[in-house]
């Protein structure tokens, strides 16, 4: 505030402009000459403030008045200046008579004192008017300044410059950049402003030089505007402001500034004036030097940029190579540790399986990245094996289960209660307390689940990037014998096992990727010497596909349908088929085939001619009549064919029979070298016969000895290729239409823990039974309560029983994934209340009923179901009834939803019809021969009638 009240302070105008946006004129201290008036008083008022600076001409009074505060405002300001005498210089005022009188009196007294100053001004004027043009050396800097100022002024709108008054009292002209000293207008202007002529001379020099430089023929100067600019200090050349501002001020004093501005802005106008040739030369040199310097700079900059890019690329490549080498060394070390621990596991396997141990289940599906990304609900798909928890039925086993999904309290509480029923099942008493076996399992969820929720990473990778979960597992297995069981082994499974320092019961990931394909399975079947469908494998070109299909169709005329399977796909996703009935030359080829016997046909020349004819029709046959078994992944045949040739595939014959049965067998290739059959069941398939929906356990379609022989040979062939752990073998059986002999083909091989095996573990825990695959029987011992009742009855009758225990058999129907779009609408608590109300449950005493397997708490799109009964028909009927009730309870008439319930019920009806026919045929054979039929005789007599089922049992 003190600076605001002091107008002579250097920062006074700056503060006014910053705070209030007001630009005040510059005040210059002048020494008063002549008579001075002394003004005293406590408040100077308007008189003192108005006479502190020279008064501008009347034409500029309005502009200056806007910058001056009113008398009322100034009078209210409490100034810290003490009252004292102030010297006031009187100025003339052409607008008022009073001012004129004061001015005349002061001029008379001042005239003598100004004589010396007048003589100095006249000498300066003569020097200005008679001086020669400035030299080239002295004018070059000014010319460059004016040129730069003009260049900076070029985008400025001339209308924004201050407009001088329309009528000037003291105008004068400058012709061709020269001022005529004898001109009347100039003499009158000089006389009027003789007191400030010293400052005027410098401004006139600048203006004259600018007009000379740009060869302006005529310029009319507004004398009042020029005097106001000089007196206010706006043309102060040493105040540090930009040169372009001075050019603007000089142009603003001209009355014809628009014409002068247009002329100055014309290209090349600067080079027509004074020193134009030198200015042009300087300009050309400047441009050339700038261009040369810029070009050299860009070349150097480009070289520097290229050097930086090369250096960064080399550094990045070096780091990447170092990272690759470190990863390779790490994986090599993990692989070596895997093999060394596998050898130790093989040596101590019998001791480990008979002692207390901890099994770490990691149900990871280590598929390739494109395959993982194409699977919908991949995380839930990995968690369909919650039945692994049932390994705790062995008292020496503790289970650590790593879940690939976030499980809620409802699912955790369900499995805790389910696994706690072991005591009740063993005693046959539902009121028994929960077993302590529920404390022997732990469910862990990696913390990386939320970080990689959209990446579709396999569970092994998620566990690898979860250090807290790994640390907790280390603490749980510290000081205990433990080993890890994965699903489809992945490279990160080795990393997790190495981090935990435990052996992995599985196969090397490289071997798994090689032999888990369709072509890899065919190679193992071929070396094992088992029967398999006619076909070709390792097909990667279109020519090989066409030629192979034509050869197979010509060689095996009895086959009506051919399958195409992509190597890397599972679950029937990558399967297509084509029927040969669409071939135009098929009738002619059939006639040629009938002319020859089957043995002669394979060596006759007619087969070659038929193959050539088929080869011509194969492209059109596939393009027009090939069909996809599942369109969820591949929509068209063209898309399927592209992936088929890219990833490789096989051509396989569909069994030439209207009635066939598929079955799956789970094997354990023990580290010690033994091959164990853990599960075997007949598969329930969809309408196409290529998609597995469920299975019945144990299997009833193949003689157990034949099945054991096939599985043993396949298991030994796998062990020869360093395959260890769990594998799943798919077989198909049918009656040969030519000789009615039962045929068993090996069609697929999966390396890993299967869903069927997980449900089998749940079945064994709920029945406390044993699945004997050598006899294909599920043997269930009686409960403790039944044994005690029998013993008491024998004691009362005083008779010795023939056998202390009577083992009964059970049959089970299981489905790993029951899909229904309405299932997410019902919470699990409501779902179980609904099942209880409809009589769906499990009888602990009878060890039969229904058990569910829950997969997740968030989506709830699928669940597993297991039904157990004393016979196969009862298990099938219970399963179908449960499906019907669940569908009715969770669906509305206008919201039926999409599910796989109908396909399952339809397949169950067909199986029920087959079982009724088989029972009838067995009784007929027993009456005729007097001996019960075995497995093979039953199939010989009756399996060719299975396609014509009786009236469906379920309406």
């Amino acid at each position: 505030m003190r600076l605001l009240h002091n107008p002579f302070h250097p920062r006074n105008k700056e503060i006014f402009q910053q705070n209030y946006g007001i630009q005040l004129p510059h005040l210059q201290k002048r020494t008063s000459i002549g008579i001075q008036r002394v003004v005293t008083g406590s408040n100077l008022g308007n008189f003192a403030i108005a006479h502190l600076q020279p008064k501008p001409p009347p034409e500029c009074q309005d502009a200056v008045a806007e910058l001056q505060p009113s008398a009322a405002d100034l009078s209210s300001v409490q100034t810290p200046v003490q009252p004292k005498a102030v010297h006031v210089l009187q100025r003339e005022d052409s607008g008022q008579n009073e001012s004129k009188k004061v001015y005349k009196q002061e001029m008379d007294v001042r005239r003598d004192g100004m004589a010396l100053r007048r003589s100095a001004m006249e000498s300066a004027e003569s020097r200005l008017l008679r001086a020669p043009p400035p030299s080239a050396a002295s004018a070059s800097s000014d010319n460059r300044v004016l040129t730069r100022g003009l260049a900076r002024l070029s985008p400025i709108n001339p209308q924004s410059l201050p407009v001088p008054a329309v009528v000037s009292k003291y105008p004068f002209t400058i012709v061709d950049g020269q001022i005529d000293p004898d001109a009347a207008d100039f003499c009158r202007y000089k006389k009027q402003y003789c007191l400030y002529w010293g400052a005027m001379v410098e401004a006139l020099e600048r203006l004259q030089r600018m007009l000379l430089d740009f060869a302006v023929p005529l310029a009319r100067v507004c004398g009042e505007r020029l005097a106001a600019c000089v007196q206010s200090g706006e043309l102060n050349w040493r105040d540090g402001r930009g040169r372009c501002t001075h050019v603007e001020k000089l142009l603003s004093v001209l009355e014809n500034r628009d014409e002068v501005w247009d002329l100055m802005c014309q290209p090349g106008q600067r080079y027509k004036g004074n020193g134009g040739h030198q200015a042009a030369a300087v300009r050309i040199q400047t441009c050339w030097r700038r261009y040369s310097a810029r070009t050299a700079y860009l070349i150097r900059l480009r070289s520097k940029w290229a050097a930086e890019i090369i250096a960064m690329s080399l550094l990045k490549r070096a780091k990447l190579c170092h990272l690759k080498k470190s990863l390779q060394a790490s994986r090599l070390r993990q692989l070596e540790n895997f093999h060394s621990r596998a050898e130790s596991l093989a040596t101590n396997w019998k001791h480990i399986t008979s002692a207390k141990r901890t099994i770490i289940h990691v149900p990871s599906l280590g598929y390739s990245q494109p395959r993982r990304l194409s699977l919908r609900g991949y995380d839930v798909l990995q968690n369909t094996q919650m039945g692994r928890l049932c390994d705790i039925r062995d008292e020496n086993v503790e289970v650590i289960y790593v879940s690939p999904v976030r499980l809620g309290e409802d699912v955790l509480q369900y499995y805790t209660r389910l696994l706690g029923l072991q005591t009740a099942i063993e005693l046959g008493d539902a009121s028994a307390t929960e077993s302590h076996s529920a404390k022997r399992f732990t469910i862990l969820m990696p913390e990386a689940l939320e970080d990689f929720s959209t990446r579709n990473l396999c569970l092994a990778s998620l566990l690898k990037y979860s250090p807290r979960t790994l640390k907790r597992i280390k603490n749980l297995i510290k000081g205990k014998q433990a080993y890890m069981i994965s699903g489809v082994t992945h490279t990160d499974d080795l990393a997790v096992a190495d981090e935990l320092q435990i052996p992995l019961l599985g196969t090397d990931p490289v071997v798994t990727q090689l032999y888990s394909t369709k072509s890899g399975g065919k190679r193992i079947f071929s070396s094992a010497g088992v029967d398999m469908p006619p076909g070709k494998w390792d097909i990667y070109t279109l020519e090989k596909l066409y030629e192979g299909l034509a050869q197979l169709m010509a060689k095996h005329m009895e086959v009506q349908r051919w399958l195409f399977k992509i190597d890397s796909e599972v679950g029937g996703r990558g399967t297509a088929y084509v029927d040969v009935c669409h071939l135009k030359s098929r009738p002619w080829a059939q006639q040629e085939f009938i002319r020859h016997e089957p043995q002669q046909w394979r060596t006759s020349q007619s087969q070659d001619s038929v193959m050539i004819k088929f080869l011509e029709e194969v492209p059109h046959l596939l393009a027009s009549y090939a069909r996809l078994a599942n369109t969820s992944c591949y929509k068209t045949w063209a898309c399927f064919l592209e992936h088929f040739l890219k990833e490789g595939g096989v051509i396989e014959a569909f069994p030439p029979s209207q009635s066939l049965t598929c079955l799956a067998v789970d094997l354990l290739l023990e580290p010690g070298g033994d091959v164990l059959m853990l599960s075997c069941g007949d598969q329930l398939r969809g309408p196409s016969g290529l998609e597995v929906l469920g299975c019945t356990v144990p299997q009833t379609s193949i003689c157990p000895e034949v099945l054991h022989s096939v599985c043993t040979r396949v298991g030994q062939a796998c062990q020869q290729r360093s395959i260890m752990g769990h594998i799943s073998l798919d077989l198909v059986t049918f009656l040969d239409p030519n000789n009615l002999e039962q045929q068993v083909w090996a069609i697929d091989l999966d390396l890993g823990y299967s869903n069927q095996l997980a449900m089998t573990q749940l079945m064994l825990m709920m029945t406390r039974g044993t699945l004997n695959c050598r006899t294909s029987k599920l043997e269930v011992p009686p409960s403790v309560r039944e044994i005690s009742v029998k013993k008491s009855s024998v004691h009362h009758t005083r008779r010795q029983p023939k056998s202390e225990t009577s083992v009964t058999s059970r049959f089970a129907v299981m489905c790993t994934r029951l899909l229904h779009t309405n299932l997410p609408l019902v919470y699990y608590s409501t779902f179980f209340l609904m099942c209880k109300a409809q009589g769906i449950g499990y009888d602990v005493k009878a060890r039969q009923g229904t058990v569910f397997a829950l997969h997740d708490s968030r989506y709830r799109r699928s669940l597993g179901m297991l039904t157990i009964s004393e016979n196969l028909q009862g298990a099938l009927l219970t399963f179908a009834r449960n499906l019907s009730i669940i569908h009715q309870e969770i669906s509305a008439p206008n919201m039926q939803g999409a599910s796989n319930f109908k396909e399952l019920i339809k397949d169950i009806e067909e199986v029920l019809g087959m079982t009724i026919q088989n029972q009838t045929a067995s009784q007929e054979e027993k009456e005729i021969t007097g001996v019960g039929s075995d497995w093979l005789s039953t199939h010989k007599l009756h399996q060719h009638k299975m396609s014509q089922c009786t009236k469906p049992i379920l309406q």
Side-chain angles (χ1 to χ4, degrees):
M1 292 302 296
R2 287 196 300 269
L3 296 181
L4 289 176
H5 293 306
N6 186 7
F8 293 96
H9 196 277
R11 295 193 59 191
N12 177 268
K13 300 177 181 58
E14 179 183 352
I15 295 175
F16 261 99
Q17 185 174 2
Q18 291 179 357
N19 296 345
Y20 305 102
I22 300 175
Q23 184 175 0
L24 297 178
H26 291 274
L27 299 180
Q28 298 181 358
K29 287 188 178 182
R30 299 175 180 269
T31 305
S32 60
I33 303 176
I35 299 176
Q36 300 176 352
R37 294 183 59 185
V38 179
V39 181
T40 61
S42 59
N43 191 354
L44 300 180
N46 298 340
F47 181 81
I49 298 297
H51 288 81
L52 287 177
Q53 56 181 347
K55 192 172 184 179
E59 293 80 4
C60 303
Q61 284 181 2
D62 295 337
V64 177
E66 295 179 358
L67 302 177
Q68 294 180 351
S70 63
D73 296 336
L74 293 176
S75 62
S76 61
V77 177
Q78 299 296 329
T79 174
V81 181
Q82 297 295 330
K84 62 179 181 178
V86 179
H87 300 282
V88 180
L89 178 64
Q90 296 294 329
R91 295 281 311 276
E92 74 155 347
D93 190 355
S94 59
Q96 299 180 4
N97 297 329
E98 228 173 30
S99 300
K100 289 182 179 180
K101 293 180 181 180
V102 175
Y103 174 73
K104 289 180 180 180
Q105 293 176 1
E106 291 179 355
M107 289 298 295
D108 293 339
V109 178
R110 196 183 303 173
R111 188 177 294 109
D112 295 335
M114 292 293 295
L116 183 59
R117 186 175 180 180
R118 187 182 300 274
S119 60
M121 288 175 12
E122 289 178 358
S123 60
E125 177 190 358
S126 61
R127 186 172 63 254
L128 170 66
L129 298 178
R130 298 176 183 177
S135 62
S138 62
S140 62
S141 61
D142 296 335
N143 293 338
R144 287 194 296 269
V145 170
L146 289 175
T147 305
R148 288 195 299 267
L150 182 62
R152 294 179 182 179
L153 283 173
S154 58
I156 299 176
N157 187 5
Q159 302 298 331
S160 63
L161 298 176
V163 182
V166 179
V167 179
S168 177
K169 289 186 177 182
Y170 305 101
F172 61 94
T173 59
I174 301 177
V175 181
D176 293 331
Q178 297 291 336
I179 299 176
D180 187 4
D182 299 330
D185 53 357
F186 183 74
C187 292
R188 189 160 59 91
Y189 177 73
K190 173 183 171 184
K191 181 178 179 181
Q192 177 65 23
Y193 296 100
C194 60
L195 299 179
Y196 314 107
W197 199 249
M200 293 287 188
V201 171
E202 187 176 4
L204 290 175
E205 279 186 3
R206 299 271 182 174
L207 182 60
Q208 182 181 357
R209 187 178 304 167
M210 183 185 70
L211 297 176
L212 280 173
D213 290 342
F214 287 91
V216 179
L218 178 64
R220 293 189 297 273
V221 181
C222 177
E224 291 85 347
R225 178 61 184 163
L226 178 61
C229 292
V230 171
Q231 293 176 17
S232 62
E234 295 181 14
L235 297 180
N236 187 6
W237 316 106
R238 299 175 181 84
D239 60 356
R241 289 182 293 178
R243 297 293 181 179
C244 60
T245 305
H246 301 321
V247 175
E248 293 177 9
K249 295 299 181 182
L250 289 176
L251 289 175
S252 65
V253 303
L254 300 180
E255 292 183 351
N256 61 337
R257 75 187 192 290
D258 295 338
E259 292 83 356
V260 173
W261 175 260
D262 295 339
L263 182 64
M264 292 174 64
C265 290
Q266 291 181 3
Q269 184 65 28
R270 168 65 188 88
Y271 311 117
K272 296 179 182 179
N274 188 20
H277 294 284
Q278 184 178 1
V282 171
R283 184 66 176 176
I284 293 173
Q285 291 180 359
T286 302
C287 295
W288 174 250
R289 288 175 182 175
R290 182 183 65 180
Y291 171 76
S292 301
R294 179 68 178 173
T295 304
Y297 170 73
L298 291 177
I299 294 175
R300 181 176 179 81
L301 186 64
R302 185 175 182 83
S303 302
K304 183 180 178 181
W305 171 79
E308 290 177 355
I309 293 297
I310 294 173
M312 291 176 61
S313 301
L314 291 177
L315 183 61
K316 184 178 179 180
R317 182 177 180 83
K319 289 183 177 180
L320 186 60
C321 292
H322 177 71
L323 180 61
K324 286 183 178 180
K325 290 181 180 179
S326 63
L327 288 176
Q328 290 176 356
S330 175
R331 291 178 179 176
L332 182 61
R333 184 183 67 254
Q334 293 169 3
L335 186 61
E336 293 175 353
N337 294 338
F338 164 73
H339 288 300
S340 63
R341 293 191 180 102
E343 294 177 359
S344 176
L345 184 65
T347 304
N348 304 320
W349 178 250
K350 292 184 178 180
H351 171 69
I352 291 174
T353 53
S354 61
K356 288 189 176 182
R357 61 196 181 276
T358 301
I359 303 177
I360 303 173
H361 283 285
V362 183
S364 173
L365 298 179
Y367 300 145
S368 61
Q369 183 178 2
R371 198 153 134 212
R372 294 198 310 267
L373 294 176
S374 65
L375 291 173
R376 182 183 178 185
Y378 176 69
D379 51 350
V380 180
L381 187 63
Q382 294 183 107
N383 202 42
T384 55
Q385 298 180 3
M386 291 288 286
R388 295 189 184 202
L389 293 169
C390 298
D391 282 343
I392 64 172
R393 70 180 186 276
D394 187 350
E395 296 180 355
N396 294 327
V397 174
E398 293 182 1
V399 173
I400 298 176
Y401 182 85
V402 182
S403 174
V405 296
R406 188 71 61 183
L407 298 178
E409 289 297 329
D410 50 353
V411 177
L412 296 177
Q413 186 177 7
Y414 172 77
Y415 280 104
T416 301
R417 293 184 177 180
L418 182 66
L419 298 174
L421 293 176
Q422 291 193 65
T423 303
I425 296 172
E426 186 174 0
L427 296 177
D429 186 4
S431 62
T433 59
E434 291 188 2
S435 173
H436 296 286
S437 60
K439 298 181 180 179
R440 290 189 284 110
F441 76 91
T442 306
I443 299 178
L444 300 179
M445 289 159 280
E447 63 268 20
L449 287 177
E450 303 298 334
D451 299 332
F452 303 98
S453 58
T454 59
R455 299 286 184 175
N456 273 19
L457 293 180
C458 65
L459 181 57
S461 301
L462 294 174
L463 185 58
K464 177 183 176 181
Y465 301 126
S466 303
R468 287 181 293 179
T469 306
L470 291 174
K471 184 177 180 180
R472 186 175 178 188
I473 295 176
K474 288 181 181 179
N475 295 332
L476 291 173
I477 64 175
K478 189 174 182 180
K480 301 179 182 178
Q481 288 185 347
Y483 60 90
M484 173 179 162
I485 298 179
S486 180
V488 179
T489 54
H490 187 267
T491 306
D492 289 336
D493 286 300
L494 304 184
V496 171
D498 188 63
E499 179 69 22
L500 298 176
Q501 298 180 0
I502 57 175
L504 172 64
L505 184 60
T507 311
D508 185 354
V510 178
V511 179
T512 300
Q513 293 179 3
L514 178 62
Y515 290 106
S516 61
T517 61
K518 301 295 187 294
S519 299
K522 299 295 183 182
R523 289 193 290 268
I524 291 179
F525 297 153
S526 177
S527 64
V530 298
D531 294 336
M532 55 182 181
K536 301 274 186 184
W537 53 86
D538 290 328
I539 297 176
Y540 292 93
T541 61
L542 195 61
E543 292 79 7
K544 191 174 181 179
L545 173 65
Y546 291 159
E547 293 177 1
L549 181 59
Q551 291 177 1
L552 291 172
M553 288 191 301
K555 187 176 181 180
H556 303 277
M557 293 292 296
E558 71 279 2
V559 178
Q560 302 296 321
R561 175 176 291 182
W562 292 92
L563 307 178
F564 307 93
K565 298 181 180 180
I566 299 177
D567 272 342
S568 60
E569 289 292 351
V570 293
R573 284 167 25 106
T575 305
Y577 62 91
V578 65
D579 295 327
V580 298
C581 62
H582 300 289
L583 287 170
K584 296 180 180 179
S585 58
R586 175 71 178 177
W588 167 78
Q590 195 69 27
Q591 293 177 0
E592 293 292 326
F593 176 72
I594 295 174
R595 289 172 50 191
H596 301 79
E597 294 182 359
Q599 300 296 336
Q600 298 177 354
W601 173 254
R602 297 179 182 179
T603 58
S604 65
Q605 296 180 354
S606 301
Q607 180 182 343
D608 297 336
S609 59
V610 170
M611 187 200 71
I612 295 174
K613 190 66 177 178
F614 283 171
L615 184 60
E616 297 176 356
E617 299 185 26
V618 162
H620 175 70
L621 175 69
L622 294 180
S624 302
Y625 299 102
R627 297 293 181 266
L628 302 177
N630 190 344
T631 58
S632 62
C633 187
Y634 308 102
K635 303 297 183 182
T636 61
W637 165 255
C639 180
F640 176 86
L641 182 61
E642 179 183 357
H643 287 80
F644 182 90
L645 299 177
K646 180 180 179 181
E647 302 177 17
V650 300
I651 305 175
E652 183 180 292
F654 192 80
S657 174
Q658 296 296 328
S659 177
L660 55 92
T661 302
C662 298
L663 63 152
V665 183
D666 290 292
L667 306 177
L668 173 60
L669 308 181
E670 292 186 340
D674 297 334
V675 179
L676 297 182
M677 296 176 62
L678 301 180
S679 175
C680 58
D682 296 328
Q683 293 179 344
L684 300 175
R685 298 214 165 196
S688 64
L690 302 174
E691 183 180 1
V692 179
L693 300 178
C695 64
T696 62
V697 177
Q699 65 87 23
T700 58
S701 55
I702 300 179
C703 177
E705 295 298 331
V706 176
L707 179 63
H708 181 265
S709 175
V710 172
C711 294
T712 302
R713 283 183 288 172
V714 172
Q716 292 175 354
C718 291
Q719 287 179 336
Q720 294 176 0
R721 289 162 175 78
S722 302
I723 298 176
M724 182 179 64
H726 296 86
I727 65 173
S728 180
L729 176 64
D730 290 344
L731 306 172
V732 61
T733 179
F734 61 97
L735 291 181
D736 191 342
N738 297 325
N739 52 19
L740 296 181
E741 293 287 338
Q742 185 183 21
Q743 299 291 329
V744 179
W745 286 353
I747 57 175
D748 200 2
L749 179 67
D750 294 326
L751 305 184
Y753 204 101
S754 70
N755 296 339
Q756 175 179 304
L757 180 57
M759 293 296 290
T760 302
Q761 300 294 340
L762 178 60
M763 177 194 68
L764 295 178
M765 190 201 73
M766 299 304 297
T767 58
R768 301 297 293 177
T770 303
L771 180 60
N772 190 349
C773 296
R774 296 292 298 267
T775 59
S776 293
K777 288 184 179 181
L778 175 58
E779 300 172 349
V780 178
S783 63
V784 176
R785 186 173 182 179
E786 292 178 355
I787 296 175
S788 61
V789 171
K790 289 183 180 181
K791 286 183 178 180
S792 62
S793 63
V794 170
H795 181 267
H796 288 298
T797 58
R798 297 181 180 180
R799 295 179 181 177
Q800 297 296 330
K802 296 182 180 180
S803 60
E804 295 183 357
T805 58
S806 58
V807 177
T808 59
S809 60
R810 294 286 189 272
F811 288 87
V813 179
M814 58 184 67
C815 179
T816 307
R817 298 194 72 193
L818 292 175
L819 302 175
H820 202 298
T821 55
N822 292 342
L823 280 174
L825 305 178
V826 182
Y827 288 99
Y828 286 137
S829 58
T830 308
F831 176 79
F832 288 122
L833 290 176
M834 174 193 68
C835 293
K836 184 178 180 180
Q838 295 293 336
I840 301 176
Y842 188 76
D843 188 355
V844 174
K845 182 178 178 180
R847 296 184 182 180
Q848 58 184 0
T850 304
V851 182
F852 293 98
L854 308 183
H855 298 158
D856 70 312
S857 302
R858 183 176 180 181
Y859 299 107
R860 305 189 304 278
R861 296 194 188 102
S862 64
L863 53 84
M865 187 170 67
L866 169 69
T867 59
I868 303 173
S869 182
E870 294 180 352
N871 52 63
L872 182 57
Q873 293 182 7
L876 290 170
L877 286 171
T878 303
F879 198 92
R881 174 180 176 274
N882 293 345
L883 292 179
S884 179
I885 291 175
I886 293 173
H887 175 72
Q888 292 176 7
E889 291 292 334
I890 66 176
S891 302
N894 58 347
M895 191 175 63
Q896 292 294 309
S899 68
N900 57 358
F901 288 12
K902 295 181 180 180
E903 290 81 0
L904 269 169
I905 293 176
K906 184 178 180 180
D907 199 7
I908 288 173
E909 290 178 355
E910 295 180 0
V911 175
L912 283 171
M914 294 178 187
T915 57
I916 293 175
Q917 289 183 3
N918 289 336
Q919 289 178 359
T920 305
S922 179
Q923 292 177 1
E924 292 177 358
E925 184 181 6
K926 186 175 180 179
E927 293 176 358
I928 296 173
T929 62
V931 181
S933 61
D934 59 357
W935 295 89
L936 190 57
S937 61
T938 302
H939 280 283
K940 284 183 180 180
L941 294 173
H942 303 288
Q943 193 170 1
H944 68 282
K945 300 179 181 179
M946 289 182 183
S947 58
Q948 299 177 355
C949 299
T950 58
K951 185 177 180 180
I953 303 299
L954 297 176
Q955 298 298 332

